[in-house]
Amino acid sequence: IQYCSENIKLSFSMFGADIDVVKDLTITVPRDMTLESLEIEAASAEVILRDLTIRDVSLDTASGKCEMEGCAIGELDIDTASGNVRFIGSLEVLDFDAASAEFEGVLTNTPRSIKVDSMSGDIDITLPSDAGFTVSMDAMSSELSSDFETTIRNGNYVCGDGSCKIEFSGMSGDMIIRKGN
């Protein structure tokens, strides 16, 4: 779906003032539908996804916040310059690549892997209380803060069985892991 082709201009002036045209696009799908893939490319738009089950999501934005609530996603690939992301739901794989953006995730499951490459911006993830994970950090001035008890093994932070592999690479911005219910 292409909401507006590039050659349509939607700016105009009235009474000597520039008028901004606000556009909204809402797509509704059946509640019990499982989507194979969803690809969203946006410049500075707000993206909201609610109550969707999707195997593969690719989100590519310059700026503009993204909210995903009540979603069950297999693989979530986010590439953003400065758009903050908020996710509530379950996912198996997260790949978050950002220049200056924050990611806040409240996960109802323990994912298989989380990969973060961020210049700046905190990564704040809430995992179930029985989650096991291994965090590897490659960061200049970033720190790991965890509600979970961790041990250091081979330079990695390990909790429980270490099953969720978390790779954090960044210049500044911290990795925060909270304990959920």
Side-chain angles (χ1 to χ4, degrees):
I1 298 170
Q2 186 171 356
Y3 187 58
C4 180
S5 71
E6 295 176 19
N7 59 2
I8 296 176
K9 189 172 182 179
L10 293 173
S11 60
F12 59 90
S13 295
M14 183 179 291
F15 305 113
D18 291 333
I19 305 297
D20 293 328
V21 177
V22 177
K23 302 184 313 177
D24 290 326
L25 173 64
T26 302
I27 299 171
T28 305
V29 296
R31 185 172 298 279
D32 60 347
M33 177 181 233
T34 297
L35 302 174
E36 283 296 317
S37 66
L38 176 64
E39 182 176 336
I40 299 173
E41 294 181 21
S44 59
E46 181 179 33
V47 176
I48 300 171
L49 304 176
R50 286 204 176 91
D51 302 321
L52 292 173
T53 301
I54 311 169
R55 287 187 174 76
D56 185 20
V57 175
S58 175
L59 176 65
D60 189 352
T61 66
S63 65
K65 71 179 181 177
C66 178
E67 293 184 14
M68 297 176 224
E69 187 175 329
C71 293
I73 296 177
E75 294 188 26
L76 176 57
D77 183 3
I78 300 170
D79 188 356
T80 185
S82 63
N84 292 342
V85 177
R86 184 169 177 262
F87 181 91
I88 300 173
S90 68
L91 60 86
E92 292 301 316
V93 176
L94 171 64
D95 188 350
F96 183 73
D97 190 2
S100 175
E102 296 183 357
F103 181 89
E104 179 188 355
V106 179
L107 305 180
T108 58
N109 70 316
T110 303
R112 287 193 321 263
S113 68
I114 296 172
K115 182 179 178 188
V116 175
D117 188 0
S118 177
M119 294 297 288
S120 67
D122 291 341
I123 307 302
D124 189 330
I125 296 176
T126 301
L127 295 173
S129 61
D130 62 349
F133 56 85
T134 301
V135 179
S136 64
M137 302 267 303
D138 180 17
M140 296 279 299
S141 63
S142 301
E143 296 180 0
L144 173 66
S145 171
S146 175
D147 290 345
F148 293 86
E149 186 174 321
T150 61
T151 59
I152 296 178
R153 289 187 214 149
N154 299 323
N156 297 322
Y157 300 89
V158 180
C159 172
D161 65 4
S163 61
C164 174
K165 305 302 181 203
I166 302 174
E167 296 177 39
F168 181 85
S169 177
M171 296 292 286
S172 65
D174 296 326
M175 177 86 183
I176 303 154
I177 302 176
R178 300 181 193 276
K179 189 182 283 190
N181 298 331

